Amino acid sequence: MATRHFLTLLDFTTEELLQLTARAIELKAILRSGEIYEPMKNRVLGMVFEKSSTRTRVSFEAGMAQFGGHAIFLSPRDTQLGRGEPVEDTARVLSSMVDIIMIRTFEHEKIERFAEFSRVPVINALTDMYHPCQLLADMQTYVEHRGSISGKTVTWVGDGNNMCHSYINAARQYGFKLNIACPEGYDPDSAILAAAGDSAEIIRDPAEAAEGSDIITTDVWASMGQEEEQAKREKAFASYQVDDRVMSAANSDALFMHCLPAHRGEEVAASVIDGPQSVAWDQAENRLHAQKALLELLAKG
């Protein structure tokens, strides 16, 4: 049987994604009850970080420890990838020694090549094109607060980046409508958007896009690696802040989400992310539970 990987949300069926969310909620309850549950005892997760991240490292490492397994952190200094070894060679070697591999890197094509030559499951912990693990946590968070997201409306405010691409895929898989409020010149990938059909559309004005929405979500204006564009992006995104005006255009019980880190006063007003509609901290915690459910599913083969 071919090795299964999780490189985008499209690698799983809708039914599998919904089951994964339900399992994540169960695992959260098991952890909070104090019950010891160690389905991955003596198993090892290799964590390849070409891009640093607080939440990604802590959530995967803590998840493996809670499952009775072990996680090995590998920075660019700790692998031959950083010294120019072919991706295919690193994939062959690492996957001969560990049970699952997660990679946080730049080019999506690199993780696809790695997965092609890996004998164990590979998890996309972020590429420049997709961030599917964050979407698992976001969908779990919505279900916990409001129930099924099928038939709902989500508004993405900001850059048409990897998070936006993953929300487009999520709209297809979970059955919600996605409004994308982004400035011209920062649209999502046209092929990814086109593949979503009527599930996703661009509405330039954030307040107009937010009308009737159940989730308002955003990301920083300049992601890691785009620091030199900060001034240019501050100008382009100046009218794309999620503030009280945007939130008031959404449904009265709409939730605010942010994948973090957040820059108050830029992409989000402090009154919103620190306000009663924000579930950003639940999202952050749910990275742990959603990824544990993902590890468990992939470990079963």
Side-chain angles (χ1 to χ4, degrees):
M1 185 170 68
T3 301
R4 293 200 73 182
H5 306 292
F6 183 67
L7 306 187
T8 80
L9 291 172
L10 304 181
D11 289 327
F12 287 3
T13 66
T14 295
E15 182 180 5
E16 287 174 325
L17 291 171
L18 295 177
Q19 290 173 348
L20 195 150
T21 295
R23 183 58 180 160
I25 293 171
E26 289 178 355
L27 291 171
K28 188 175 185 177
I30 289 172
L31 179 67
R32 290 186 173 181
S33 74
E35 178 184 344
I36 303 299
Y37 177 64
E38 298 181 328
M40 298 190 70
K41 203 168 183 62
N42 300 320
R43 304 186 82 166
V44 178
L45 170 70
M47 304 193 304
V48 180
F49 280 80
E50 293 198 302
K51 272 185 167 181
S52 61
S53 169
T54 305
R55 279 161 296 282
T56 297
R57 177 176 179 179
V58 174
S59 56
F60 272 109
E61 201 162 318
M64 282 301 289
Q66 292 164 10
F67 268 176
H70 182 71
I72 300 175
F73 172 75
L74 297 163
S75 75
R77 294 176 300 178
D78 305 314
T79 71
Q80 297 302 317
L81 275 176
R83 299 170 61 187
E85 180 178 58
V87 171
E88 295 82 355
D89 293 358
T90 303
R92 290 184 178 102
V93 173
L94 278 186
S95 67
S96 71
M97 300 177 180
V98 303
D99 300 284
I100 299 181
I101 298 169
M102 62 123 287
I103 302 177
R104 184 176 170 91
T105 187
F106 295 89
E107 307 92 342
H108 190 74
E109 181 263 347
K110 180 183 287 185
I111 200 169
E112 289 179 328
R113 286 168 51 207
F114 193 105
E116 183 180 351
F117 288 86
S118 172
R119 67 169 73 170
V120 302
V122 175
I123 296 172
N124 178 3
L126 181 140
T127 65
D128 288 345
M129 288 296 282
Y130 298 104
H131 194 4
C133 288
Q134 182 65 53
L135 264 293
L136 296 181
D138 290 11
M139 295 299 100
Q140 178 185 345
T141 303
Y142 187 83
V143 169
E144 289 177 331
H145 283 270
R146 297 287 187 265
S148 173
I149 197 168
S150 177
K152 304 296 185 182
T153 300
V154 176
T155 290
W156 171 265
V157 180
D159 195 6
N161 61 10
N162 51 3
M163 275 295 298
C164 181
H165 294 157
S166 293
Y167 261 100
I168 293 171
N169 282 348
R172 296 172 58 182
Q173 292 287 62
Y174 293 89
F176 61 80
K177 171 71 190 311
L178 179 68
N179 297 333
I180 301 166
C182 58
E184 291 187 20
Y186 296 91
D187 290 1
D189 181 271
S190 58
I192 295 172
L193 181 62
D198 295 336
S199 297
E201 68 171 324
I202 294 174
I203 301 175
R204 297 290 177 197
D205 180 69
E208 181 184 347
E211 290 179 9
S213 291
D214 301 284
I215 295 176
I216 306 296
T217 183
T218 188
D219 192 4
V220 294
W221 289 344
S223 298
M224 192 180 298
Q226 298 172 330
E227 291 80 2
E228 73 284 358
E229 300 178 23
Q230 182 68 31
K232 175 186 174 185
R233 284 174 169 266
E234 284 181 6
K235 184 177 181 181
F237 287 87
S239 59
Y240 286 82
Q241 181 187 90
V242 178
D243 53 17
D244 294 317
R245 183 181 70 93
V246 173
M247 289 304 297
S248 66
N251 291 337
S252 59
D253 63 346
L255 300 176
F256 171 75
M257 294 191 179
H258 195 304
C259 57
L260 303 177
H263 294 170
R264 292 168 175 78
E266 291 187 13
E267 78 278 2
V268 61
S271 59
V272 172
I273 192 169
D274 297 321
Q277 291 174 276
S278 173
V279 292
W281 320 119
D282 293 340
Q283 280 178 269
E285 179 190 342
N286 283 340
R287 288 288 301 276
L288 169 65
H289 309 297
Q291 290 164 186
K292 284 172 68 178
L294 176 63
L295 289 167
E296 185 184 52
L297 188 155
L298 290 174
K300 291 177 181 176

